[in-house]
Amino acid sequence: MAKGKTEKKAKVKKSSKLDASPKEIAARLEASAKEMVESIKKKQDPEFITKQRGKSNVNFDEDSGLIELGLKETTRNFLNIGHAKKFMQTTLVAEKTHDYLKQNKTASIREIYYELKHTIKDTKENTFDGQIESDSVIVDLEHSVDTIREKLNLHANPKGTLYGDITLVDVVHNKDTFNASKLGRGGWSIMSRIEPEEIKIKKIDADYILVIETAAMYERLVEEGFPKKHRAILVGTGGQAARGTRRLIHRLYAESKIPVYVFTDGDPYGWYIYSVIKQGSMALAAHSGLLSVPDAKYIGMTLDDVKTYGLENVTERMKEGDIKRAKEMMKYPWFQTKEWQAQLKKALTEKIRIEQQALANKSLDFVAKEYLPQKIKKKDFLP
Amino acid sequence: MAKGKTEKKAKVKKSSKLDASPKEIAARLEASAKEMVESIKKKQDPEFITKQRGKSNVNFDEDSGLIELGLKETTRNFLNIGHAKKFMQTTLVAEKTHDYLKQNKTASIREIYYELKHTIKDTKENTFDGQIESDSVIVDLEHSVDTIREKLNLHANPKGTLYGDITLVDVVHNKDTFNASKLGRGGWSIMSRIEPEEIKIKKIDADYILVIETAAMYERLVEEGFPKKHRAILVGTGGQAARGTRRLIHRLYAESKIPVYVFTDGDPYGWYIYSVIKQGSMALAAHSGLLSVPDAKYIGMTLDDVKTYGLENVTERMKEGDIKRAKEMMKYPWFQTKEWQAQLKKALTEKIRIEQQALANKSLDFVAKEYLPQKIKKKDFLP
């Protein structure tokens, strides 16, 4: 892993993905289609080039701090019987997303699956036999035209909430301008698409961004008046962060440069949520540069907190899944710091986990009045 | 079932639950505690009275259209070795919620569990050995002082989103006043607590409320400009509606009297989501009067839609869990209409389900331009 860094870094940093307009993306789709048509006219076998996925083409770049997709390509040929169906599916999705871009429409990945699914005339063959097939083709297409699905006007389900002194503008929705500290205690429901051409971050008045795993802890901190007192923006992920929420966190950091602290349950699942926000994931390795925040810091919960704050009585036993996950995480290149190795080892030795809400054992306001302010003051973070 | 209707109806309709102020609820808790103290002083066995739960004390009242808890009571005695631990737990939760009310604090049901969990001095006995124990005591207490947990300043996790021309005021948060059609396409993230003393519904300008199961369909309708064109308020539940979201739907209807239409996937799970919104659930039978909307109508998806709209190619096979659920639902008194019996029978015969998003098979805007407007125009609802 992590060979040929400069090459790969340049790849992530190049701005084509970020800056490409819907028009440009549409042009790339057209160019790819034209090539196929040319091949057919010349009685050649049309081909479609995308990137190899899977572990063998994923690298962790220590300089950028990102999980990245390598340069290995894969070619699909129409006249190869093993490729033909997928080839057909790819052209269907390419045509449909091209339509979306032209018509200024967006669709969920489930909708495009349903929209394209049909039985091919005079056969019993379906275009798609499950969403898994269209999802896979969408990833191929993202890599092929070097963009993210959001730029193909596709999106996954929304999840996540935003609270704090930040003013957003929804450019394509009456230019709605609203401040996420003035929507009562509920906050703003984060959309599945947070592309800059749609949602503008107009103003942030805050010292840091606090990303929170559980909805209940988000509500606790709002109730305690934490965001105002500590000039914090809160992002509630409600478990693993959705793509839209990751994109928003990425943009908040990229556009404001204020620090990002991540606050999850003290267990392998929580730490994994953190790592996805920080370094990205293997499944979306090609898009880490648009979705991740390598400078993010981990504020808690750690298993050391148990002793420090006397929480011995409110730990829980780790489940089998957590133990398995911890063992896998110990091997990931992006968990090779001594702090994280120690943390994972502790988890595997003591087999306990500690939830964010277990801090209520001290008192309800302990998290807002002592735990978080102390950690930030002492810079008591994990890397 | 459904015997002694008037008696039970009166119970649900009496306004004590709705109108009780935090002060009144606190007074009820105090009265209950004083009685215990008096008993102890008189060397009598202190007791705690709550309602019986479970099927044997749950009725469906056809007149009110609500699932209701009956009048059967249960008494717990401190000097009964089988009751003693639960008695202790009940007094702990009662004392703590009384504190919350006095201090104007709220807590999630997980937080109160953590806050109260400790090892009793000089013993190895924990006050609570899992959240299941404190959750159960919370329900006892709700019934005992005749209120909902939200009035004891407790709450579950928030989930759900609101969009449309409705103006809310968060009375206890700087009197924030905001219109849920002006927050971009994201909408407002519905809080876990929607009590009238905290959230006021200032103004609704709409012809109906459309409750939607999936977040993706909610986004589709927002993108199509459906709420503005059809003067609709959208409530996205994201699966089974959370308590806060049910409370909001109940209040929207109670305070505006505009119709509530529910739009879910066409499968037993979706229909069950509808029934919980309409008639309530057995688990929360005591609170149907505060959480449900007996006048709600079901707009779709139905299995008849498959033929009507030519969706044969985009149905899915029902899973085992759905089949089991359909069989159970056929027996529920609140599914004894001919329309629902026919629907459930069809599900069990054809063993297919149809998702909301499958309407994309016609075209992305089909749901907004044809499906929903036609159903509403023809009043093509299930009861």
Side-chain angles (χ1 to χ4, degrees), chain B residues 259-263 274 278 293-300 381-383:
Chain B
V260 171
Y261 304 134
V262 181
F263 183 27
Y274 165 62
K278 185 181 173 83
V293 182
D295 293 333
K297 303 255 182 291
Y298 186 73
I299 196 165
F381 305 123
L382 292 193

Side-chain angles (χ1 to χ4, degrees), chain A residues 9 20-21 79 85 95 147 150 179 190 204 209 231 241 267 287 375:
Chain A
K9 261 190 79 171
S21 66
L79 296 179
K85 182 166 185 187
E95 185 193 19
T147 191
E150 285 78 2
N179 183 295
I190 300 170
I204 305 187
I209 294 145
R231 296 175 42 81
D267 57 28
H287 312 313
K375 287 242 174 178

Side-chain angles (χ1 to χ4, degrees), chain A residues 105-106 108 110-111 114 117 163 170 173 176 183-185 188 192 219-220 223-224 355 357 361, chain B residues 105-106 108 110-111 114 163 170 173 176 183-185 188 192 219-220 223-224 355 357 361:
Chain A
K105 288 278 224 185
T106 76
S108 73
R110 187 131 189 93
E111 283 177 318
Y114 274 126
K117 184 181 178 181
Y163 182 97
D170 187 336
H173 188 271
D176 284 352
L183 310 179
R185 289 159 295 161
W188 187 62
S192 57
E219 283 205 324
R220 162 64 41 220
E223 168 157 338
E224 299 298 332
E355 294 188 356
Q357 293 191 78
N361 190 239
Chain B
K105 288 281 229 184
T106 75
S108 73
R110 188 132 189 92
E111 282 178 318
Y114 274 127
Y163 181 97
D170 187 337
H173 188 271
D176 284 353
L183 310 179
R185 289 158 294 162
W188 189 60
S192 56
E219 283 206 323
R220 162 63 43 221
E223 169 157 337
E224 299 297 333
E355 294 189 356
Q357 292 191 77
N361 190 242

